[in-house]
Amino acid sequence: MSADSHTGPHAGPHSDSPSATPVIAGLLLAAGGGRRLGGRPKALLPYRGRPLVENAVRVLREAGCGPVHVVLGASAAEVRERADLAGCAVLDNPDWAEGMGSSLRVGLASLAGTGARAALVCLVDQPGIGPAAVARVREAYRSPSSLVAAAYDGERGHPVLFGADRWADIAATATGDKGARVHLTRHSDELVLVECGDIAEAYDIDTPPDLARLA
């Protein structure tokens, strides 16, 4: 099923012409405080000798996303100091402890005026999702009304792509740790799932045993 019901000659002022190369922004949510990891900010977890946040930025860039906006929260000043985020728009979410929804709102608001037609949202603590999976989701973009998510064995996961026409409603309904779940549920009939289980693993780094996956 296509996520886009407004393509064609009367698609409105935000439609993309077939010859245009749409700007798909990468939006990285990296504000988590790692409560179940003893309060270690997830962005700074070591991965291949560097902070985990750098890996997530690299993945977005290699998948063709740009600009890349990074939302920080826990220990934001330390993350800015220790991680190389050159070329990214780095944003602080003072309300990060409220949950992912607040970071999503900050990130989407920061994309206004950038010319981005969609935001491709990734989470900092999923290093098993590489550029191939992110690019596959990105390539499913069709118009600013697109709604796309990676799937793993048919189950919805990350990353998720939100066309710009959807940002206002997502921001209005993103509360607590729900993120965009309300919007995704309400518009499930418009959601395009892109199977990525063959090229990625969608595990999270949430608890001390999970840290072994970063070795």
Side-chain angles (χ1 to χ4, degrees):
M1 177 185 296
S2 171
D4 309 301
S5 57
H6 300 293
T7 55
H10 302 293
H14 295 113
S15 356
D16 296 317
S17 67
S19 60
T21 300
V23 175
I24 310 297
L27 178 53
L28 176 60
L29 305 185
R35 178 178 53 84
R36 285 180 286 174
L37 292 167
R40 300 171 65 185
K42 291 187 176 183
L44 289 176
L45 292 174
Y47 182 62
R48 297 178 179 175
R50 297 298 303 164
L52 189 57
V53 66
E54 291 183 13
N55 173 73
V57 168
R58 176 190 61 80
V59 166
L60 283 165
R61 286 181 171 150
E62 290 185 6
C65 296
V68 175
H69 287 213
V70 181
V71 182
L72 302 180
S75 301
E78 185 180 0
V79 176
R80 286 173 179 270
E81 180 181 343
R82 291 177 51 191
D84 180 3
L85 300 177
C88 299
V90 184
L91 314 151
D92 290 339
N93 173 18
D95 302 317
W96 65 269
E98 294 179 5
M100 188 189 305
S102 62
S103 291
L104 185 56
R105 293 196 304 271
V106 168
L108 291 177
S110 74
L111 291 173
T114 63
R117 295 306 200 204
L120 201 155
V121 180
C122 286
L123 307 181
V124 74
D125 66 341
Q126 294 188 319
I129 300 174
V134 177
R136 191 177 284 183
V137 172
R138 181 187 179 278
E139 289 161 6
Y141 170 86
R142 295 294 178 269
S143 82
S145 65
S146 287
L147 185 63
V148 185
Y152 302 88
D153 295 326
E155 295 295 321
R156 188 186 81 223
H158 282 87
V160 183
L161 181 146
F162 302 119
D165 289 351
R166 298 182 179 274
W167 295 351
D169 184 68
I170 292 170
T173 57
T175 59
D177 275 323
K178 293 180 181 178
R181 201 175 306 158
V182 172
H183 185 88
L184 289 165
T185 299
R186 288 178 179 172
H187 300 276
S188 59
D189 59 330
E190 302 166 64
L191 176 65
V192 173
L193 292 178
V194 178
E195 182 58 46
C196 293
D198 58 320
I199 53 173
E201 294 182 89
Y203 57 82
D204 301 323
I205 306 298
D206 282 334
T207 64
D210 296 333
L211 295 174
R213 293 181 178 270
L214 298 178

